[in-house]
Each structure stands twice: as structure tokens, then as C-alpha cells.
Amino acid sequence: MNKIVNDFSITVGTKNGSGSSTANNTILRSVFKMGIPVSGKNLFPSNIQGLPTWYTIRVNKDGFIARQDANDIVIAINPDSFVRDLASVTPGGAFFYSDDIKQPIPRTDVAIYPMPIKSIVKNDPNVPTDYRDLVGNMVYVGVLAQMIGMDMDKILAALTFHFKGKQKPIDMNFNALKAGAEWAKTNLEKKDPYHLEAMNKTDGLIMTDGNTAGALGSIFGGVQFAGWYPITPATSLAEGLNDYLPVLRKREDGKHTYAIVQAEDELAALGMAIGAGWAGLRSMTSTSGPGLSLMTEFAGLAYYAEVPVVIWDVQRIGPSTGLPTRTSQGDLTFTHFIGHGDSHSIILLPGDVYECFEFGWQSFDIAERAQTPIFVLSDLDMGMNQWMSKPFQYPETPMDRGKILWEKDLEEIKGNWGRYLDKDGDGITYRTLPGNKHPLSAYFTRGTGHDEHAKYTEDSNAYMRNMERLKVKHYNAASYMPKPINHPIKGATVGIIAYGSTENAVLEAQYHLAKEDGIKADFLRVRAIPFTEEVTRFIEKYDQIFIVEMNRDGQMYQILLTEYSQYASKFRSVAYHDGLPAAAKWVREGIVAVAVKDAVEKLNNKKESKSDLAFLVKILKSKSAKLSIPGVKPTATKSSSKKNSTISMIGNVSGSIIVMGSHNTSTINSSLNQAAIKTLAKHLGAELLKAIKENQYD
Amino acid sequence: MTETLPMAGATANVNLAGLSKNDYRGAPTTLCQGCGHNSISNQIVTALYEMNIVPEDVMKFSGIGCSSKSPTYFLNRTFGFNSLHGRMPSIATGALFADARMKGIGVSGDGDSASIGMGQFKHIMRRNVNMVYIVENNGVYGLTKGQFSATAERGLQLKKQGENPYMPVDICMEALVSNATLVARSFAGNPKQVKELLKVALAHDGIAVLDIISPCVTFNNQENAFHSYAWGKDHEEPLHEISYIAPRNEIILEREMEDGEVREVAMHDGSTVILKNLERGYDPTNRFEALRVMEEAQRNNWLVTGLLYVNTTKPNLTSIYNLVDTPLNRLTEVDLRPERAMIDKINSLMF
């Protein structure tokens, strides 16, 4: 059997609330400490106890650590998901299960390993009865460690970290783990190909989740106020503030430079944050889609009243009890246009936990500079899962507090100022803060009905002047937005634009598209709206640009269409939404499907190039493609021996090329006209027939 | 802080802060002539002037509605935020953290606080935010031209709306059960009492709810309406007279009132109201007694006015947070950004 080293996935199926997260984190951290690139994704239900939950770990020596949409090693602990878990194992993969589950095992194409978890724990006198299930999770880690070669020293280091050095739980868990490993050593014979071997690819890296990173970034950005309300998956961001602020902003006098308030709801959470931002504090809130819905009115007010505030949206699926524990990029257009009337929000789009930290502090600078709400769009995958990352970097630029006038400033200009007076011509006006004792400092804040001096007015011209200035302010902000990250590839002819947590999946797809599908795509990860000039230049460069995102309607695609209407014909939406962390598979299949559609259209209009034809032929011959001819039974093709007979048959029923993978949502139908079929057939010929006769015809 | 203030017109009538009454005024009102809210705005001006409070030491807030427009009509030199319907409390809660030395003055209405704002109203009570929370209560929506509010009494007849079928919300009772630390009711037609209660509220270190029955001259001023002048005049029953005596931040309550004292008070429209003190000593520090009095008043259709409840032992919100002495909004990077060395420490924790 060929060894497969450091390139596989491990999925553990347990019950929610069974305490398996310690075990799963131990696997993740141990692999990480072995120097092998790794990621862990918790695929959990909205439930405290009892429902099936999975944890999937991707190990990849090349650094492709997006979720792998296939389960090479499956560990089944939950009887309720046993059948499903067994069925999910890749052919040739490995299946470990707790041997107290008495269910038939019909598969013969995978290595089967029963594990006597219960009896091993029962025989350990040091494990109290109450802890048996909890510690039992460590037994499967031990068995797995033995079978794939996890380093015991690294495991101990992981446990020591997890239990913060407390010897008793470390010992209890490590002993159970060792017992599992010992048992496997004596009783199991290796029948699968998966092995771990230590590398040095994680040297100097850290591992954390985006919510912790966002909280820490906010603290290094000098957060002074947060109003928040619990909501999955954003809760741990605010909790991170509560955890780390007392440590990082500790003062000798024991007094505080910040206040974190758990509000009664999201309406109040943002209201408080806006009040604090208005009064001059570095202020924030964190929420997810349903909470953002509640915050909409306040966000609109803050936009018009020009109040700096940072709003984290850790995106999930919703509303109501919808899929609250599933990830999404579904709030992009919502946040972009949030509020009624005309509004354009500044949006930051972190792509990994490092950027959650970075944008954590930068967002305050941008908010105070632009005097407007800044939305930071994270998501559940980034926010709650553990990601490898380069270490956080101390902010290299001093805080930008924006245009604020204090007493001495007002003295200098003899109080001659207007809150909404555009003195510098950049759309950004000067503001004063409550507590300013200068008698000309105060102004009255309201929505749109004000003139340049914040006096109430319903004058049409004053309204229009203000609205135009706000627009100028928004587009000027592009000059100080985070620039996009470019991942070029040699000989690229098309582009990919993506954002947020899909980066790893897109990078992996980019590699395979170039290597196997003949699509060489330059990849630009956008990190902010408004778009910077780098985004414009990228768009100008390519005629075909795939916009990859995790939602149904292609929200970034929509915004690009609006902002770059002159280039609208270049954009192709590759949107996908199953609630799970992005996987390279759907990115690749989606792009291929759209590219096929484009090529077919060109073929239909006789505008194809050689490369279009070559691409179509390549795809139709590849395993990811399936060619179907509606209304024609497979037997019809069997009887055809001449090349041309096939062509006429397809032509008669208006042919359809469907490129699809195992995910049906990537399906895109492309109909070929008669002439196109003839052209294509000239190039496919016998090979097409062969493909149809063999396994590719459904 | 007062040394930067201009001392223009120093020979004119000035208070101990060196300010004339004009320094406390706002823009001309755009509310209806005879609106109770205008009278309240005037009393806010007078109360602050007489208490020598510098306008820059206060922040003013409001929600949406006729009442919420009124902060424009007093204290021009005070920062103000006209927020969203029912959400003045959250804006104020956040803003007052910026400079904990400052006092909030919030003006809301029954439409703003007793309906959409009910949640925030009750939560600002339990947080004991350092703010005077005035509810200019007229039982009707004015800006949208005369719909019932949640404080309108059952059976009230309004043009176009017919008869109100629902039980009313009692602002003071809601405040009290939400653990407000100061609860008072007054009547806009009794400006002296409004002013005195405002002074007590301004001196109170925490949330101070003033439910001020403020008749809507346009939409809800039928003789029989609970929130009308006529009803108020007939049914107002002050608990006791309050006098506020200046020593800073100390609430001095005149607990022992003469039983059965009767006093005529001139209203701004020239009429008078006969205020009658209750026939017994009333202890506003007794929460149980406050509830009982309100319950009794409801049963008898009385308008109990005066200081219903006060508790000066509870810390206000910002003091719970043990903030630094410097106002938070004057802190700089030195105070706010952790030292460079901390980044390595943090990275070492990120396994």
C-alpha cells in the first residue's frame, strides 16, 4: 500500500456537549506542533447537548488547509450518526469507531478499527465515574495517535496548554490517551495509508480563532467602549474583550480606561456604542446577521450623523433559528447599503485571523478618520475555528484620532467652525466632543436635517450639499483602505476575485485549475469597500473575472456590477452556500462550470478561440465533467459507430453540457446550437463517444 | 474649567458660574403655542441657571416625537443628540461614559418611552445612568397628529381614533419596579414644582425619572382627558412641597410637611391650580410606600405629584466601572494602546 503522508482529513463524529472539543483540539494542536500545516473546523448544530456534531481536521504538507470536502479518516463515537459517518469515508480510507456501538458495517473498501473506549476508561481507577465519557474522548485520540504517528511529546504539550498547566487533569487525560495508544499498538494492524511525519512548516506560527484575534486587535487599537449582546457566532469576540482587557490594560491604580456593557439587545448595543463613539470613545459592537438586522436603523443614523463606531459582523446563516451555527458571507450587500435612504458603508473584509487582529486596531483609525460606522465582516469559520497564523504584529502606525477640536483648537480659530463644514474639501469635517468646555464647542446631533453648522434645517439645498459631501467622503476613503492581496500565477488569462475566509479554498482551487483544468487565474482577495485602485487595475487587466463567495446571490458580484458598471460584462458570479467552511472543490467546480458556459456561448456564436475549444474538450474528458444528452438513452449512443451520427443525434435534441461535481449547486446548463455541436464534435470525435459509452454518461 | 468662559456682560444678572440666563437658552421653540413642553424647557433653563450648572458640563439627549424636539429649545451651549425613537437611553448610556463628570438630561415622551422605548427605558433604570430622564407625558402622539399613546387612559375619546380600549402604562410605576433610584411626577402647569423636582433630579447621582404630565393643547386637551390641563388641575395631589437647597450634590428633603397645607399655584396661562399636600408625612425613601401611594392614586384617579421615591445609596453606572479620573474621551494612545512587549506575551498564549 502506498503511504499517504501529511495529506488527508480526519473527521470525528460525536454528540454535542460530550466534551469532545478538548480531544479534537488536542489532535489539532499536536499536528500543528509537529510542524505540519493543519486546520480544524467545528461543524456543530445549534444545540447544547445531544445532537450530532463533527470536527474535521485537514492535514496538508503543501499548506492547503481549507476544509477538505472528503473524509479520509473518520472516527465515529456517536451512534446516532454512525451510518452516515461510515458512509462518508473515502474509499480506501479508515474508519475508527467505539465498539459499544452495535451496528452492521457493510463496507469492505475501508479499513475498520473498533476501539474499546468504554472498557479502557472503566479499567482506569484514576478516572472518576463522572469523568468517564469526557476522558473517554482521549482514548480515541490515543488510538489515532498510535495509528497515524502523532508525537506523544507534542500531545502532552497540547494538553498542558489546554489545561493551563494543571497537573491533575493533564495526567488523567494523558493517561487515558496513552492507554488508548497502548491498546492500539497491541491489538490493531495498520490497514490504511495515512501517516503523519514531523515537518517544520509551522515554525514561528501561532494558532487562534478570529474572534479572539479581533478582540485582541481591538484592544491594541485602544478600544474604550463596547456595547454588545450575546449571539452565535459573535459572542466570543466580546467575551475576548472581557478576558484580555483586564490584563492588557491593567493600571497601577487599578482603574479602568474602558467599559464593556452587555446590553439588553442589539438595538441598545449599537445605540450605546454610537453614544460612546459620538462622545469621543473608541467604540465598537460585535454581532451577527440577526443582530445586525436590529442595528440597521442606528447604523443608518450613525452614517448620517457621522459618528465613528466599529461594528463586527461575524456572519452566519439566519434569521431566527435558521442555521445559526453555519458560516456564510451573506451580509455583504446588507451592510454595504445598510440604513434607509442613500448610504454606502465602509466595509473591511479580513481574510484570516491575522487580519482579524490587524483590522481590529485599524478599524478604529478608519472610523475616527472617516467619522462613520465601519463594518468588519468576519464569519463563523474565521471567528470560531482555530486557524494557523503568522504571529500578531504590534501596530506600526500611531493612532489616527481624526479631526477633533478641543478647547485650545477652538481658541486658535476663535470658535469659527461648523460641525458639517467641509473646510479641507475632503468630505471630512471637524468635530468636537462633549466635555469640551469652550462655549462655542457644542452642537446638536441629528440625522439628515441639518446645515453645515448642525442647525436644524429642511432646506433642500443644504440637504443635497450634505448628501454629496457624504458621497465624496466615502469614495475618498478608498485611499486609506487596506489594499487587496494579490496571488498571481504565471501565464494567467483570467481573474478570480474573492474575499474573507475563502482564501485558502480559492488558493487550492487556483492551483488545481491551472494544473488540471487549463484555467490560469490570477487571484485578488479584496479586503475593503470602497474598492482601492488596485482592484480597478486588476479588473481592467482581465476579460473574464470569477467572483467567488459564500452566498446564493453573488453579493460581491452585485456590488462590483454597480461600482464598475463599465466592466459589467467581465464579471462571472461563482456563489455557493451550504453553510460549511469553504472547500476548494466547490470553488474549482463552480469556476469550471461558469467557464464552460462562457466557452459554449462563444462556440454558439462562432466566436470561439482555439483555447476555448481546447478547454471544452479537456473538461469534457475530465472526471469532473459529465456529459448528458436530454431525451436520449445511453443505448442510442452505443449503436452509433460513425462519428457524424452522434452529432446529428445531439443536434436533434438540442444538446446540453452539464458540468457538475458531487455538489449539485454548481450545476450550470449550457446549451449548444447545431453549428456549435458540429464544431465541438470535430474536436471530440471518437473520444466523446468513448466517454459516453464508459462511465461518464448519466 | 470656567476660566475659559467669556464673561461678556458681566454686569448683567449672572449666577455663581458667571453666566446669565441667556447662556442657558436654546433656539426658539417650534412646538404649538401653549404646549406644556415649552413650559418644561423653560424650567430646565431656570433650574440649571439657579443651580449654577455650567451648560458645558451637561449632555442632552432625546428620542423622537414632539418632546424629543425640545432639547433644541434649551441649552444651546450643551452637546445634544436627537437619537432614534425610543432609543435615547442607549445613546445616553454610551455617551456618558466618555466623561463621567457630566450629567445627562434626557427628554422623551410617552410615545417614545412607553412603547418602542419601553425596553430601553427600563434598562436605563436598572443601570442607574447618571441622567435626568424627563417624560413629557400627554397621552397622545402629537407629531403624527393625534393617535393614542400607551399612557392614554382606557376609555379616552380622541377625534378620528374613537375610544381607547387598553389599560394605560404608568411611567412612574414602571420606573419604580425597574429599580429607578429617583421617581417623581409633576404637572407642566405647575412650573414651580417642575423646577424644584428638576433641581432634585439634577442633584441626584443616578437615574432620575420625572414623569411630567404635559398637556397637548392640540390633540388631547378635552376636559375629561387624564393628561389635559383641566383634569390635571382637578386631580393633582402633590405629596409634599420640595425645596432644594444648594449645597453641592446633597439632596435635602423636607420630610416633615405641615399636614393639609393648601397652596395656589399660578399657571403660565394665567389660571391657578390648587395643590393640596397629603394629610400625612410621606417618606420618599420607602419604596413600598411609594408603590402603595401610586396604587391608591390609580384607584382614585388622582394625579399624585411630587417626589415619589429616592434612593441615594446606589452607585451610578460609571462609578460601578471604576474609571480613571481623566475623562475617557481625553485619554490618548499612551493610556489606550498596550505596550509593545505585550504583543509577544499575547503571541505566546496563542497555541
Side-chain angles (χ1 to χ4, degrees), chain A residues 220 224 297 394 407 437, chain B residues 57 87 328 330 333 337-338:
Chain A
F220 279 85
Q224 293 177 280
E297 191 179 6
Y394 193 75
E407 289 88 344
K437 304 300 179 194
Chain B
D57 290 346
R87 274 157 283 172
L328 290 192
R330 290 183 190 254
E333 184 160 345
R337 178 163 283 168

Side-chain angles (χ1 to χ4, degrees), chain A residues 411-536:
Chain A
E411 290 285 337
E412 275 169 30
I413 57 172
K414 299 185 171 64
N416 180 20
W417 78 290
R419 170 65 184 96
Y420 299 109
L421 198 61
D422 188 5
K423 274 205 159 176
D424 304 330
D426 59 357
I428 302 173
T429 61
Y430 287 80
R431 65 183 187 131
T432 51
L433 306 177
N436 188 325
K437 304 300 179 194
H438 195 285
L440 294 170
S441 64
Y443 70 98
F444 197 73
T445 303
R446 49 168 68 82
T448 45
H450 60 73
D451 65 10
E452 281 80 352
H453 289 84
K455 298 283 181 243
Y456 183 72
T457 181
E458 293 176 19
D459 176 68
S460 299
N461 288 324
Y463 170 75
M464 288 194 291
R465 282 198 305 273
N466 191 48
M467 292 298 284
E468 290 306 315
R469 180 181 57 76
L470 285 171
K471 197 169 179 178
V472 167
K473 181 173 86 164
H474 176 76
Y475 285 105
N476 278 351
S479 66
Y480 50 91
M481 287 297 112
K483 297 187 185 317
I485 302 289
N486 191 201
H487 298 287
I489 193 169
K490 222 179 160 186
T493 55
V494 298
I496 296 174
I497 287 177
Y499 57 98
S501 69
T502 59
E503 185 179 44
N504 281 325
V506 175
L507 282 172
E508 190 178 342
Q510 181 192 32
Y511 172 81
H512 290 290
L513 284 166
K515 207 175 159 206
E516 289 145 50
D517 304 322
I519 298 177
K520 288 189 174 151
D522 193 356
F523 169 26
L524 192 78
R525 181 164 61 80
V526 170
R527 301 201 297 166
I529 297 175
F531 300 116
T532 66
E533 58 181 53
E534 290 80 5
V535 179
T536 310

